[in-house]
Amino acid sequence: MAFPHRPDAPELPDFSMLKRLARDQLIYLLEQQHEVDKLYKVENKPPFSSSEQLCFLVRPRIKNMRYIANLVNADKMAGRTRKYKVIFSPQKFYACEMVLEEEGIYGDVSCDEWAFSLLPLDVDLLSMELPEFFRDYFLEGDQCWINTVAQALHLLSTLYGPFPNCYGIGRCAKMSHELWRKLEEEEDGETKGRRPEIGHVFLLDRDVDFVTALCSQVVYEGLVDDTFRVKCGSVDFGPEVTSSDKSLKVLLNAEDKVFNEIRNEHFSNVFGFLSQKARNLQAQYDRRRGMDIKQMKNFVSQELKGLKQEHRLLSLHIGACESIMKKKTKQDFQELIKTEHALLEGFSIRESTNYIEEHIDRQVSPIESLRLMCLLSITENGLIPKDYRSLKTQYLQSYGPEHLLTFSNLRRAGLLTEQAPGDTLTAMESKVSKLVTDKAAGKITDAFSSLAKRSNFRAISKKLNLIPRVDGEYDLKVPRDMAYVFSGAYVPLSCRIIEQVLERQSWQGLDEVVRLLNCSELAFTDMTKEDKASSESLRLILVVFLGGCTFSEISALRFLGREKGYRFIFLTTAVTNSVRLMEAMSEVKA
Amino acid sequence: MDCYTANWNPLGDSAFYRKYELYSMDWDLKEELRDCLVAAAPYGGPIALLRNPGRKEKPASARPVLEIYSASGVPLASLLWKSGPMVSLGWSAEEELLCVQEDGVVLVYGLHGDFRRHFSMGNEVLQNRVLDARIFHTEFGSGVAILTGAHRFTLSANVGDLKLRRMPEVPGLQSAPSCWTTMCQDRVAHILLAVGPDLYLLDHAACSAVTPPGLAPGVSSFLQMAVSFTYRHLALFTDTGYIWMGTASLKEKLCEFNCNIRAPPKQMVWCSRPRSKERAVVVAWERRLMVVGDASESIQYKQLTIQVLLDRLVLRRLYPLAIQICEYLRLPEVQGVSRILAHWACYKVQQKDVSDEDVARAINQKLGDTPGVSYSDIAARAYGCGRTELSIKLLEYEPRSGEQVPLLLKMKRSKLALSKAIESGDTDLVFTVLLHLKNELNRGDFFMTLRNQPMALSLYRQFCKHQELETLKDLYNQDDNHQELGSFHVRASYAAEERIEGRVAALQTAADAFYKAKNEFAAKATEDQMRLLRLQRRLEDELGGRFLDLSVHDTVTTLILSGQNKRAEQLARDFRIPDKRLWWLKLTALADMEDWEELEKFSKSKKSPIGYLPFVEICMKQHNKYEAKKYASRVGPEQKVKALLLVGDVAQAADVAIEHRNEAEMSLVLSHCTGATDGATADKIQRARAQAQKK
């Protein structure tokens, strides 16, 4: 298991630098400048602190400003004077200052910025930890984070040298790339003459491929995320996993040797692997029988600690597996996966629709139902009007009328739409796309989004061969393509696009696919003549997911890397999955 | 030999001096210099003269004339002084001429006599008039110190960043001090003044008496004082004809000298040659010049850096020469040529006789996209000269759209500023412009502007969503966006309103909006919700318990759980709950209550639209195998095997699967054959399979 990399695979850049940088900045801000000694989480309740000074480390959001304003005003009412400091991360927005001013506390607080946007979650994964990016950009049309993305790319290029080849698809990708280029030009010379460490950068908007993100994950890391919610690279394993009465916070990254071997595996292999591992471990323990004193001393001082550590991790992951199996290998889950595969492959649509309806009627899970509806809509170019109405009606009856707004959101984002009767839409579409020049493009985003875009999934799937032809059983132990991350049923669209473009080193020959993705004006290549790029760096690829990427996509690309001798590095606005995607779109009563 | 020494004259016993003319002045002065106010800029800079600086009694014809000459006397500018009476003239380090008027107003002129700006030294100065003024230079810039008619001092250490500082009072000061000077120590400007036999040091906090170390006794008054250019050294001339020279900190005496001349000198200054360690004070009377020297350590200051030199050339509009120097010295473009070109462009925009078109083109031709040149700076200069159109033309060349925004706002071109801000991709900048526009335009125009800029619109909407809900509504109204208006009121129906009447009213408004938006589905759903709310309210009144805000499904469930089956049925009919859902719902509720009797009655009420497998499942979920088995027998053939397996009847499941000759069912049963007693069943299936394959 855990296939080794090809011997010629490039080394990953050292991201610990980013961590140090961020940590030092934060310590400086908190200790030197503000003398902070205790940290509280910003929640919707007053902090139990009697300090003379309160320091808030917050995202620049209006909601947070109002929280702070309420707190300061409450202090004022109580006749209490304290010093207040707000540290915005990664940057301060003017709108936030406006709110502080309108709430009458601008003079009472002082503001600072912590320009931290890249958190290395793993040796190959950087997260901006901006889960709000998805809703802000893809639903609200708020472009405020694009600058943050450009700044992050700029930081990476100053640390790891210029990027000789850039590719991208999607409006946000294009804007981020342009803004980043501008930054580079303004600070000309900083990266000049440096040897590039990262040969290719690929930027991709989440809305180019919603389908992959909406699928149930079945590789271990994704499954752990779907089941237990990985947060910032760590997960809380509850008592049912730890088989004790305590929860345990566990970091999930390459440092965990057991996890590192199973993270990219299809779940069906994981249990077998773990039990094999347990047997090996037992054998190693057993060696101590029949040891003499000296050998025993050696064993205890040198091997025992490592074995115990491995033992601990092993039992944790076995516990996690059991817990997942209890939840996910039940008949319900099998049926769910079957329905998903049917939707991806485009057969038994009527049965799938009935399945979804039953799912809603039985109140199985509001988020799951929504996800299936979206998957049906995208794979089918929208729901037929009758189903669109009835599924929504049933959903409202099950989960409450506020979801009328959820549906409005989903429609706006293009996730859940109604099939347009005939060609009217296509005609409209071609008219609009003629109007779309680059600069005008941004201007009509709004107009566009209400005009449901056709997802064309079926046609794209055919063009890019996303559904592998199955001759006999798909061997999940020795995968032959990226489809293994979805049990061999589907190659993630996002990953396939990346694979194709890297193969051609351009979008050439992909015109039809790009058109079907509604991205005719939004797929770009930007090559700079760079003779200093070593062949090694040219096999190191940074993939930037704008709006979030899933662990399944990461696993798929890691697999592709191993096959082709590349190494992928991932930069995402946040790690996402189908649940987070749906929650971002859901309207909840406050 | 004698030709070398011929023009050297003896100075004292051991030194000689010579006098020769370096160059002659080109000017043609009619007045005596003594009748003029004179100011020479440091480092061989220009000289300013004010002729007839006399007082206001003069008739208008005899208005004073301000003249500016180069260091060699080449006339640079001449203008009639029409402002108020001038007290003092001086050059700033940037070669700006500071003219201090009696009323405390300081007028600032450029090297070529061009008026730049003016500022006042404050009300106190205005009221008490300026008695005396000094312009001085520190490392921060050039300062102005004023002695007012009330014998108080006011100073600003840097006229570029004007901060007025009124100095504390000197106790017992009734008349003007006999002499005073500005000093700069520890980066703070001080004033040293002499009153009779006493010296006082004024800083912004206190006035303290000071005594120079080793001062000869018998002094009853100080007639003159001088501080060296670097503020390191101080010289004092007393009424006894005695000169004290020491450090400006008054901690150390360097030397003293008695010249036996008791008349007050006209001038006393420190002088030293570059690289020389010799420091000397030159004292001048009407007809006598005296050099008092002291050999002590001194440091060479390189104050005149290459940048300053270039600045000076630029000020003199000697652009080509400056560029040649840059090229010769191979200065980096940004510090050298680009900077000079930018200065040239700033000068160019002031040429009022050239058309906007031509100036803009000329500037762009020469500058192109030279790195380090900021078109927005040049445009700002053009705007400063009142050439708004030229300024806008120049801004077009500015590649960074963000840089264009602040100036465009200043020029009140807010709509253009908005498009530029959007182009820059900087949402913060866009927001800044939006707030400008909001204040500048009336609401209607503001909304219209937003309408054409969707990116700005969504940004503003985001803000309103959290901060100005009413404005958000207005925005949707303006756009006839009935769909969003509907959503807005739906949200209000549970987020803003609390009373049931208010909530229903909000929903009614929402429904109306949805109809206008031709969204019949949403309108109908909203009307249903109105009905539901009213009904839930009635249920709460009649039955107690919580019903409000439950979904239709949960409302029915709650009714069943509280034994209100009739009402539940009625509600299900009213809200057209499909049969399937109702069966799922009832099944779940009855099983939750473990009302097995009622469940069985229900199952027999008519043919189940969801089949009987769910009955088996739900009973097993409640661990009631007995009840489950009752329903297993009623499960249709397709799901029979599943049902039998659920209730643990593996053997019968096997029989059914074999009877069905269904391969999938057989493997399913086989995978359940895990118990010790299932061996026979497994064999049976294997046999059936083998037989099936034979056929």
Side-chain angles (χ1 to χ4, degrees):
Chain A
M1 290 254 223
F3 316 92
H5 282 280
R6 267 176 28 180
D8 61 346
E11 291 279 316
L12 291 170
D14 177 15
F15 289 141
S16 59
M17 198 191 309
L18 288 165
K19 233 177 199 162
R20 281 200 302 277
L21 212 71
R23 193 190 51 207
D24 292 353
Q25 280 172 352
L26 186 61
I27 290 177
Y28 173 76
L29 274 170
L30 293 180
E31 280 183 0
Q32 307 297 302
Q33 281 190 286
H34 310 307
E35 290 162 0
V36 171
D37 52 351
K38 207 158 178 212
L39 290 169
Y40 299 89
K41 207 173 160 195
V42 172
E43 286 161 318
N44 252 334
K45 56 180 182 203
F48 299 103
S49 168
S50 54
S51 314
E52 286 308 292
Q53 175 177 268
L54 290 181
C55 180
F56 306 91
L57 177 59
V58 292
R59 287 271 182 237
R61 301 209 70 94
I62 292 176
K63 211 178 81 198
N64 293 333
M65 296 306 103
R66 291 170 71 108
Y67 165 79
I68 293 169
N70 288 342
L71 212 130
V72 175
N73 284 325
D75 274 0
K76 277 188 185 170
M77 293 280 275
R80 181 167 193 177
T81 45
R82 308 199 230 206
K83 283 211 272 181
Y84 309 94
K85 183 102 205 169
V86 185
I87 303 174
F88 293 98
S89 180
Q91 66 184 104
K92 180 172 69 185
F93 286 141
Y94 187 54
C96 292
E97 286 182 286
M98 269 297 300
V99 175
L100 292 178
E101 204 178 320
E102 287 186 357
E103 301 289 321
I105 61 154
Y106 190 60
D108 302 294
V109 302
S110 53
C111 299
D112 229 316
E113 285 183 331
W114 181 36
F116 169 57
S117 56
L118 291 170
L119 177 70
L121 290 181
D122 209 337
V123 285
D124 60 353
L125 174 58
L126 301 172
S127 170
M128 299 180 66
E129 290 301 305
L130 283 175
E132 53 262 73
F133 185 102
F134 180 67
R135 186 179 165 118
D136 283 350
Y137 180 80
F138 291 104
L139 178 62
E140 313 278 4
D142 185 342
Q143 303 180 355
C144 66
W145 299 118
I146 294 180
N147 189 38
T148 317
V149 173
Q151 295 281 0
L153 286 172
H154 183 57
L155 177 64
L156 283 179
S157 70
T158 45
L159 290 176
Y160 305 107
F163 308 139
N165 307 302
C166 289
Y167 320 93
I169 183 162
R171 175 160 294 133
C172 184
K174 193 163 187 197
M175 286 193 287
S176 306
H177 176 259
E178 278 169 9
L179 207 56
W180 165 65
R181 273 269 171 247
K182 259 194 236 171
L183 281 177
E184 298 277 298
E185 278 162 26
E186 270 169 43
E187 281 167 54
D188 208 17
E190 261 185 50
T191 57
K192 229 181 231 171
R194 282 203 49 179
R195 257 178 101 89
E197 269 184 63
I198 301 167
H200 305 269
V201 177
F202 197 108
L203 294 107
L204 182 120
D205 281 17
R206 185 69 269 173
D207 68 350
V208 167
D209 173 19
F210 278 138
V211 170
T212 304
L214 286 173
C215 291
S216 294
Q217 306 196 67
V218 286
V219 283
Y220 185 62
E221 194 166 11
L223 205 42
V224 168
D225 190 25
D226 279 3
T227 319
F228 306 101
R229 272 187 192 250
V230 177
K231 250 173 149 181
C232 232
S234 76
V235 66
D236 274 320
F237 280 143
E240 81 278 12
V241 174
T242 56
S243 36
S244 67
D245 48 0
K246 274 182 287 181
S247 289
L248 201 62
K249 195 172 179 148
V250 183
L251 270 178
L252 293 179
N253 57 36
E255 302 255 295
D256 178 339
K257 293 282 174 290
V258 176
F259 175 68
N260 199 35
E261 287 191 78
I262 51 174
R263 66 194 309 180
N264 301 313
E265 289 299 322
H266 188 273
F267 187 67
S268 59
N269 302 333
V270 173
F271 209 73
F273 172 82
L274 288 178
S275 41
Q276 181 58 46
K277 191 103 184 157
R279 279 195 291 277
N280 293 349
L281 194 66
Q282 189 58 48
Q284 273 175 293
Y285 272 123
D286 287 347
R287 275 187 16 241
R288 72 186 190 277
R289 276 181 221 142
M291 280 181 182
D292 60 25
I293 297 242
K294 199 176 164 205
Q295 286 168 323
M296 186 64 98
K297 198 177 151 201
N298 242 334
F299 176 79
V300 171
S301 66
Q302 285 169 14
E303 285 174 60
L304 194 57
K305 200 176 156 220
L307 288 179
K308 278 195 162 161
Q309 164 82 354
E310 200 176 328
H311 185 153
R312 195 183 65 87
L313 292 170
L314 200 54
S315 59
L316 265 178
H317 289 295
I318 290 174
C321 271
E322 278 175 345
S323 184
I324 291 171
M325 298 231 286
K326 256 187 219 150
K327 285 179 196 156
K328 301 283 184 182
T329 51
K330 275 202 298 199
Q331 206 185 350
D332 289 353
F333 187 65
Q334 302 287 353
E335 299 231 338
L336 189 77
I337 296 279
K338 220 177 86 193
T339 308
E340 277 181 32
H341 289 178
L343 291 176
L344 289 168
E345 291 169 43
F347 62 78
S348 326
I349 297 306
R350 185 48 33 211
E351 277 164 42
S352 299
T353 313
N354 291 343
Y355 175 84
I356 296 170
E357 185 161 354
E358 187 186 308
H359 205 267
I360 297 169
D361 284 351
R362 295 174 57 193
Q363 291 188 313
V364 178
S365 143
I367 291 294
E368 285 275 270
S369 301
L370 217 49
R371 173 174 79 86
L372 290 170
M373 284 164 77
C374 292
L375 203 54
L376 172 65
S377 167
I378 297 187
T379 50
E380 285 293 300
N381 258 341
L383 271 56
I384 57 172
K386 187 178 136 282
D387 291 340
Y388 187 62
R389 270 196 304 278
S390 78
L391 287 179
K392 283 200 301 183
T393 308
Q394 294 311 314
Y395 194 90
L396 294 179
Q397 288 199 347
S398 274
Y399 299 114
E402 66 272 21
H403 291 290
L404 204 50
L405 306 188
T406 306
F407 291 128
S408 161
N409 291 344
L410 289 170
R411 180 168 181 266
R412 181 131 51 105
L415 276 159
L416 181 59
T417 56
E418 187 175 358
Q419 265 176 27
D423 328 0
T424 40
L425 188 72
T426 336
M428 188 69 167
E429 211 178 8
S430 67
K431 233 186 221 170
V432 174
S433 64
K434 259 178 224 151
L435 286 171
V436 181
T437 59
D438 261 2
K439 272 188 184 164
K443 292 182 189 160
I444 54 169
T445 326
D446 245 36
F448 228 143
S449 51
S450 58
L451 209 158
K453 277 184 282 183
R454 294 168 72 95
S455 50
N456 301 320
F457 178 76
R458 204 70 63 214
I460 294 165
S461 168
K462 211 172 271 167
K463 273 253 168 258
L464 288 176
N465 223 353
L466 298 183
I467 313 292
R469 227 181 314 163
V470 190
D471 331 309
E473 197 90 327
Y474 190 98
D475 187 356
L476 292 167
K477 279 207 169 81
V478 192
R480 52 165 190 246
D481 55 24
M482 294 190 281
Y484 93 93
V485 302
F486 292 114
S487 310
Y490 161 67
V491 177
L493 169 58
S494 53
C495 304
R496 177 70 99 202
I497 295 173
I498 293 166
E499 175 199 43
Q500 291 297 309
V501 173
L502 285 176
E503 217 162 72
R504 297 152 211 251
Q505 305 230 341
S506 80
W507 290 95
Q508 223 168 21
L510 294 171
D511 308 345
E512 182 61 11
V513 173
V514 168
R515 195 188 62 76
L516 288 168
L517 287 167
N518 301 302
C519 285
S520 296
E521 308 287 333
L522 304 171
F524 60 90
T525 315
D526 174 19
M527 316 266 230
T528 45
K529 241 194 134 39
E530 182 62 71
D531 358 304
K532 283 199 199 119
S534 63
S535 77
E536 202 182 323
S537 74
L538 284 174
R539 278 177 292 118
L540 196 56
I541 299 136
L542 173 69
V543 183
V544 184
F545 284 91
L546 300 163
C549 76
T550 63
F551 281 123
S552 296
E553 288 168 309
I554 293 178
S555 290
L557 288 174
R558 280 179 186 148
F559 170 83
L560 183 69
R562 279 191 300 267
E563 292 280 294
K564 307 253 173 174
Y566 306 142
R567 283 307 280 276
F568 284 95
I569 313 160
F570 306 92
L571 165 56
T572 179
T573 50
V575 174
T576 195
N577 61 16
S578 59
V579 174
R580 294 192 191 96
L581 230 55
M582 290 296 103
E583 283 175 346
M585 291 289 155
S586 276
E587 204 66 30
V588 273
K589 278 190 211 173
Chain B
M1 279 293 274
D2 30 19
C3 54
Y4 286 108
T5 55
N7 49 0
W8 290 86
N9 302 309
L11 179 67
D13 296 331
S14 54
F16 291 85
Y17 77 94
R18 68 171 169 166
K19 214 175 83 181
Y20 63 96
E21 192 166 331
L22 285 173
Y23 56 86
S24 60
M25 297 297 279
D26 275 352
W27 60 23
D28 182 23
L29 281 189
K30 298 197 175 65
E31 281 84 0
E32 291 270 353
L33 277 178
R34 78 172 83 182
D35 297 330
C36 303
L37 266 181
V38 185
Y43 309 113
I47 302 168
L49 291 178
L50 186 72
R51 295 205 225 154
N52 303 321
R55 300 285 146 150
K56 42 207 151 195
E57 301 90 54
K58 297 240 167 133
S61 60
R63 276 202 171 134
V65 179
L66 179 67
E67 291 181 331
I68 301 175
Y69 295 95
S70 77
S72 57
V74 179
L76 295 175
S78 165
L79 53 129
L80 210 55
W81 187 253
K82 293 178 188 164
S83 266
M86 203 189 304
V87 178
S88 181
L89 266 181
W91 291 94
S92 76
E94 293 82 35
E95 298 202 312
E96 284 183 327
L97 182 62
L98 308 174
C99 308
V100 187
Q101 292 191 156
E102 204 186 20
D103 57 1
V105 172
V106 181
L107 292 93
V108 184
Y109 286 86
L111 192 58
H112 301 277
D114 44 319
F115 176 74
R116 295 268 166 89
R117 62 184 190 278
H118 69 92
F119 56 88
S120 161
M121 292 299 287
N123 263 338
E124 202 265 337
V125 178
L126 174 66
Q127 272 161 27
N128 296 313
R129 318 307 280 177
V130 178
L131 205 62
D132 195 3
R134 301 281 158 81
I135 282 108
F136 60 98
H137 307 281
T138 70
E139 56 196 291
F140 315 114
S142 303
V144 177
I146 304 274
L147 171 63
T148 69
H151 311 303
R152 290 287 297 266
F153 289 93
T154 293
L155 69 77
S156 163
N158 179 7
V159 294
D161 173 25
L162 195 68
K163 282 195 192 86
L164 294 178
R165 190 160 281 151
R166 194 167 175 229
M167 307 302 262
E169 208 169 339
V170 183
L173 184 64
Q174 296 299 329
S175 56
S178 56
C179 56
W180 64 279
T181 184
T182 52
M183 306 223 286
C184 189
Q185 270 164 12
D186 302 329
R187 308 160 67 90
V188 180
H190 303 277
I191 284 176
L192 183 69
L193 68 147
V195 183
D198 303 315
L199 287 174
Y200 295 97
L201 190 65
L202 280 179
D203 59 28
H204 59 276
C207 167
S208 38
V210 287
T211 325
L215 185 76
V219 176
S220 57
S221 167
F222 295 90
L223 300 180
Q224 185 70 268
M225 57 175 74
V227 193
S228 66
F229 193 77
T230 57
Y231 299 102
R232 289 258 171 142
H233 302 102
L234 173 71
L236 300 164
F237 189 94
T238 72
D239 59 343
T240 50
Y242 163 87
I243 300 171
W244 181 92
M245 290 160 70
T247 57
S249 60
L250 291 168
K251 289 211 172 97
E252 206 184 322
K253 181 169 81 174
L254 295 174
C255 73
E256 56 187 2
F257 180 74
N258 203 324
C259 69
N260 291 323
I261 304 171
R262 289 174 177 239
K266 276 212 80 157
Q267 223 182 341
M268 176 164 79
V269 286
W270 284 87
C271 71
S272 69
R273 279 185 292 130
R275 289 185 233 295
S276 152
K277 285 195 169 186
E278 276 181 48
R279 304 218 139 252
V281 170
V282 181
V283 194
W285 287 266
E286 201 68 28
R287 311 197 141 272
R288 193 194 292 262
L289 199 73
M290 185 180 281
V291 182
V292 181
D294 156 65
S296 71
E297 52 83 42
S298 86
I299 305 146
Q300 167 69 23
Y301 292 93
K302 276 193 171 170
Q303 296 226 348
L304 193 64
T305 60
I306 185 70
Q307 293 305 339
V308 177
L309 174 70
L310 289 173
D311 282 348
R312 306 218 132 181
L313 290 172
V314 164
L315 271 175
R316 283 156 186 75
R317 294 173 193 158
L318 300 171
Y319 304 107
L321 179 61
I323 288 175
Q324 275 175 9
I325 290 179
C326 292
E327 281 164 357
Y328 178 74
L329 291 176
R330 300 214 173 99
L331 288 183
E333 256 191 342
V334 176
Q335 289 166 33
V337 177
S338 306
R339 212 163 58 95
I340 312 267
L341 281 173
H343 276 290
W344 165 80
C346 286
Y347 163 65
K348 191 85 188 158
V349 298
Q350 295 172 35
Q351 294 183 338
K352 305 224 165 166
D353 46 334
V354 189
S355 76
D356 292 342
E357 282 296 329
D358 293 345
V359 174
R361 200 179 317 111
I363 287 177
N364 183 239
Q365 262 168 17
K366 200 146 268 168
L367 269 62
D369 46 8
T370 322
V373 167
S374 161
Y375 277 96
S376 53
D377 284 354
I378 303 166
R381 184 63 68 95
Y383 177 63
C385 300
R387 301 182 73 167
T388 310
E389 285 308 315
L390 172 59
S391 182
I392 292 171
K393 283 200 168 67
L394 285 168
L395 276 180
E396 285 296 320
Y397 297 118
E398 171 66 59
R400 294 161 299 172
S401 19
E403 295 290 308
Q404 310 177 7
V405 173
L407 187 59
L408 286 170
L409 283 180
K410 223 171 161 186
M411 299 194 289
K412 302 246 179 291
R413 300 292 170 113
S414 311
K415 287 185 192 172
L416 189 55
L418 184 61
S419 347
K420 293 294 177 188
I422 291 170
E423 231 171 74
S424 80
D426 182 345
T427 45
D428 231 22
L429 203 58
V430 176
F431 197 77
T432 319
V433 180
L434 279 181
L435 291 183
H436 250 267
L437 277 168
K438 193 183 161 199
N439 293 329
E440 211 174 90
L441 304 174
N442 64 41
R443 214 171 163 82
D445 289 347
F446 177 56
F447 285 176
M448 272 315 267
T449 312
L450 282 180
R451 201 177 181 173
N452 298 324
Q453 300 283 11
M455 184 262 201
L457 180 62
S458 37
L459 193 70
Y460 190 64
R461 256 190 218 150
Q462 282 279 83
F463 175 75
C464 291
K465 248 178 210 170
H466 295 99
Q467 199 64 8
E468 289 180 21
L469 276 177
E470 279 306 301
T471 314
L472 184 66
K473 205 171 70 188
D474 294 349
L475 271 171
Y476 292 143
N477 260 321
Q478 161 93 14
D479 285 357
D480 290 331
N481 193 339
H482 299 296
Q483 173 63 31
E484 286 300 326
L485 268 173
S487 298
F488 178 91
H489 290 292
V490 168
R491 193 176 288 113
S493 80
Y494 58 81
E497 296 287 343
E498 295 208 353
R499 289 173 318 113
I500 199 85
E501 296 79 15
R503 297 186 57 179
V504 171
L507 287 171
Q508 182 63 60
T509 322
D512 293 347
F514 285 137
Y515 276 122
K516 277 189 201 156
K518 298 206 166 50
N519 187 343
E520 204 147 310
F521 175 82
K524 286 257 153 45
T526 309
E527 283 170 349
D528 278 352
Q529 175 59 12
M530 287 161 63
R531 266 194 313 139
L532 184 64
L533 268 185
R534 289 204 192 100
L535 189 79
Q536 288 173 332
R537 182 54 183 274
R538 211 163 54 234
L539 289 173
E540 283 193 2
D541 289 347
E542 290 170 15
L543 306 173
R546 279 221 33 91
F547 283 96
L548 273 177
D549 285 324
L550 295 179
S551 67
V552 173
H553 185 112
D554 292 345
T555 310
V556 177
T557 303
T558 311
L559 282 172
I560 293 174
L561 288 178
S562 47
Q564 302 284 339
N565 280 317
K566 275 230 169 86
R567 282 183 193 254
E569 304 263 331
Q570 183 60 42
L571 201 139
R573 270 197 301 279
D574 286 353
F575 285 86
R576 293 182 304 279
I577 290 187
D579 237 14
K580 277 190 183 175
R581 176 195 290 278
L582 194 62
W583 276 71
W584 279 112
L585 188 159
K586 263 194 161 169
L587 168 69
T588 316
L590 293 172
D592 275 354
M593 293 194 294
E594 304 195 26
D595 191 345
W596 306 117
E597 205 179 314
E598 190 63 34
L599 184 65
E600 196 171 347
K601 252 205 279 180
F602 169 56
S603 76
K604 287 175 179 162
S605 61
K606 65 173 189 177
K607 191 172 175 278
S608 163
I610 53 173
Y612 293 92
L613 185 63
F615 284 79
V616 179
E617 283 172 338
I618 203 106
C619 293
M620 287 310 290
K621 210 172 143 201
Q622 301 285 356
H623 309 290
N624 192 336
K625 204 186 239 184
Y626 174 76
E627 289 293 330
K629 282 193 170 171
K630 285 186 190 170
Y631 301 107
S633 58
R634 293 166 68 183
V635 172
E638 277 175 29
Q639 293 175 314
K640 195 88 172 188
V641 172
K642 268 189 201 165
L644 289 166
L645 286 174
L646 266 174
V647 297
D649 196 341
V650 181
Q652 212 192 330
D655 289 345
V656 176
I658 292 167
E659 190 189 323
H660 286 172
R661 291 182 189 157
N662 184 319
E663 174 57 35
E665 281 181 1
M666 283 193 268
S667 359
L668 185 68
V669 178
L670 212 49
S671 71
H672 278 74
C673 291
T674 46
T677 53
D678 298 331
T681 314
D683 291 345
K684 202 168 165 189
I685 295 173
Q686 298 293 18
R687 276 199 308 276
R689 269 187 167 177
Q691 229 170 7
Q693 268 162 9
K694 264 190 222 154
K695 282 180 187 171

